[in-house]
Amino acid sequence: MLLALLLFQALTPYQQACSDRGFAVNPPKSPSQHYLFQGTQTTFLKKEKSVVQSLQLAIGGPDLLRKSVGTPLGKETTLLHASKKSWVKTPQGTKLQLEELPQEEWIKNEIRWILLRYPWGWALDPHKPLTYPGKMKLTVILGENGLPSNLRWPNGNLQLSDWKKKGDGELYPFSWKWSSPKKTVQEDFLLLEPHVLFLEQGFRPPSSNAPMRRVLRRQKKGPTEETIDRIGLVMQPTRYTLQSDWDALPIPTPPGERWLLYKKIGEKIIVWVPNMKNEELPPGISTYGSTKDILHLSWTTFQKISPKEALERLKETAKRSGLRIQGPLWVSLPKDGETAFAFEFLLPVTDS
């Protein structure tokens, strides 16, 4: 009994908060960290009138949302995308139309993401009020169960209740009451599924093409509290040269990117993707792969994960998404003198 008490007292505020949620101290090493909600929303209007509608939310990040609301005429769909673009399809519409939405929609989804992952990414100090350390200025009040019960931010308030335990022991709020000077909306969910996976393309209209790969910026001071995983489809050429060929030449390596090509344990090579055209390459340097843009599954994560683990996770993702693998896994490697705070993986695939 005394030992158990000492162990309990030894928990840091962060560890205690994780224990209260039924969470591990670190997010899972998996791209499946998204959320699916199904239930109803009740909008309270003036003169004590209210409107009840069906509601479905797919959340892939603080700026990735697919929202469907039932109306007498059909569903209204709203998309928020990390590009800061948003689209809306009304029941009378035939497709999603680009539309600038109120800032409130973006704020609410960022708060959802922050809360669903609490206390991951939070800095807990027992001597200070509980506030979120990022750009979002949130003040949080905890309930007797040690879980967030009330959040306040400029021009808004959120009450959380009906915390339920999932099969793995994790606790999630099934009732969310949003209040602002304009209106009050109560969300009550019958289904809340964590650990699901949505590709980033699911938060764009179906006609949107897979984007070109965004170059990963290496952060000198390490990841911020707001860093999140990203997974989606990108277009990327597979052209590369061998690092060993460059090492054999008495010339500096040109600007470019260093990657590890990984098939399985024992089958990996280090390659260099130079920012040079083929005709500019020196003698002794051969190119492999293709200059043509190829579809890739792209996963950027701040979790420490081995190429073997990443390949297994992306194989699962490809299978679930109806994609066929077309080549080895590309693993981004830091240049000499750099520190990689994020891991970037590219897996060539085809959807045919």
Side-chain angles (χ1 to χ4, degrees):
M1 179 67 181
L2 178 59
L3 178 60
L5 180 61
L6 290 173
L7 289 174
F8 176 78
Q9 291 175 338
L11 292 178
T12 65
Y14 174 79
Q15 290 170 334
Q16 184 59 56
C18 288
S19 177
D20 291 336
R21 281 292 308 263
F23 276 14
V25 294
N26 292 311
K29 294 181 179 181
S30 168
S32 300
Q33 296 190 52
H34 304 155
Y35 305 90
L36 175 65
F37 293 77
Q38 288 182 351
T40 62
Q41 72 171 21
T42 303
T43 305
F44 296 94
L45 306 172
K46 295 180 179 180
K47 298 181 181 180
E48 299 183 352
K49 292 183 179 180
S50 62
V51 177
V52 181
Q53 299 167 292
S54 63
L55 175 66
Q56 183 181 84
L57 304 174
I59 302 173
D63 48 9
L64 294 173
L65 170 70
R66 188 179 190 95
K67 178 181 178 181
S68 294
V69 177
T71 75
L73 298 177
K75 288 186 178 181
E76 179 173 299
T77 301
T78 302
L79 299 182
L80 303 183
H81 188 262
S83 61
K84 297 304 177 184
K85 292 182 179 179
S86 51
W87 296 266
V88 175
K89 177 185 174 299
T90 62
Q92 296 89 350
T94 58
K95 61 181 181 179
L96 288 151
Q97 301 286 350
L98 190 65
E99 185 172 324
E100 186 173 348
L101 295 175
Q103 188 65 21
E104 180 183 5
E105 288 288 340
W106 296 90
I107 291 174
K108 286 177 68 174
N109 197 61
E110 185 171 356
I111 289 172
R112 287 189 185 102
W113 179 260
I114 290 170
L115 268 173
L116 288 165
R117 298 175 66 80
Y118 169 86
W120 293 335
W122 291 64
L124 280 66
D125 187 333
H127 305 294
K128 296 181 181 180
L130 182 55
T131 56
Y132 187 67
K135 296 178 183 179
M136 177 70 68
K137 301 302 180 183
L138 291 177
T139 300
V140 184
I141 297 175
L142 301 180
E144 294 181 358
N145 56 4
L147 303 174
S149 63
N150 190 282
L151 283 87
R152 297 171 185 165
W153 64 96
N155 299 318
N157 180 77
L158 170 62
Q159 291 176 283
L160 296 168
S161 58
D162 193 20
W163 288 81
K164 294 180 181 179
K165 186 177 293 187
K166 301 296 294 182
D168 54 8
E170 295 180 344
L171 285 159
Y172 292 90
F174 278 65
S175 182
W176 303 54
K177 187 175 182 179
W178 305 84
S179 300
S180 70
K182 295 182 180 180
K183 62 182 177 181
T184 296
V185 178
Q186 172 87 30
E187 297 172 346
D188 295 295
F189 298 106
L190 299 174
L191 172 75
L192 194 167
E193 287 297 331
H195 309 301
V196 296
L197 174 66
F198 303 109
L199 295 181
E200 193 171 332
Q201 280 60 42
F203 304 96
R204 298 164 60 94
S207 58
S208 297
N209 295 322
M212 299 299 293
R213 171 178 163 262
R214 296 184 295 271
V215 176
L216 178 67
R217 292 180 296 174
R218 303 199 183 280
Q219 304 175 46
K220 295 180 180 179
K221 297 182 180 179
T224 67
E225 297 292 347
E226 297 177 323
T227 52
I228 61 171
D229 284 15
R230 291 292 192 195
I231 184 164
L233 294 171
V234 299
M235 299 297 289
Q236 173 78 7
T238 59
R239 169 183 176 266
Y240 67 88
T241 64
L242 296 176
Q243 178 70 55
S244 57
D245 287 346
W246 289 99
D247 294 341
L249 298 178
I251 60 173
T253 305
E257 294 183 329
R258 195 160 65 105
W259 293 82
L260 176 98
L261 297 194
Y262 180 90
K263 293 184 179 180
K264 60 183 180 179
I265 295 177
E267 291 188 30
K268 54 187 179 183
I269 58 172
I270 295 177
V271 303
W272 185 259
V273 181
N275 295 334
M276 301 171 65
K277 297 179 181 178
N278 284 358
E279 56 268 25
E280 298 172 338
L281 295 173
I285 300 297
S286 301
T287 61
Y288 305 86
S290 172
T291 57
K292 180 182 177 182
D293 289 330
I294 305 296
L295 190 67
H296 287 74
L297 262 177
S298 170
W299 180 23
T300 302
T301 178
F302 291 83
Q303 294 292 311
K304 291 183 179 180
I305 183 170
S306 68
K308 178 183 177 182
E309 292 175 301
L311 181 57
E312 290 304 313
R313 300 290 82 77
L314 287 175
K315 280 182 176 179
E316 295 169 5
T317 301
K319 183 177 180 180
R320 289 164 54 184
S321 304
L323 302 169
R324 290 194 297 120
I325 298 171
Q326 295 296 296
L329 178 70
W330 289 61
V331 184
S332 178
L333 296 174
K335 299 178 184 177
D336 293 340
E338 285 187 333
T339 300
F341 293 105
F343 292 83
E344 188 175 15
F345 304 100
L346 292 170
L347 184 64
V349 295
T350 179
D351 57 1
S352 59

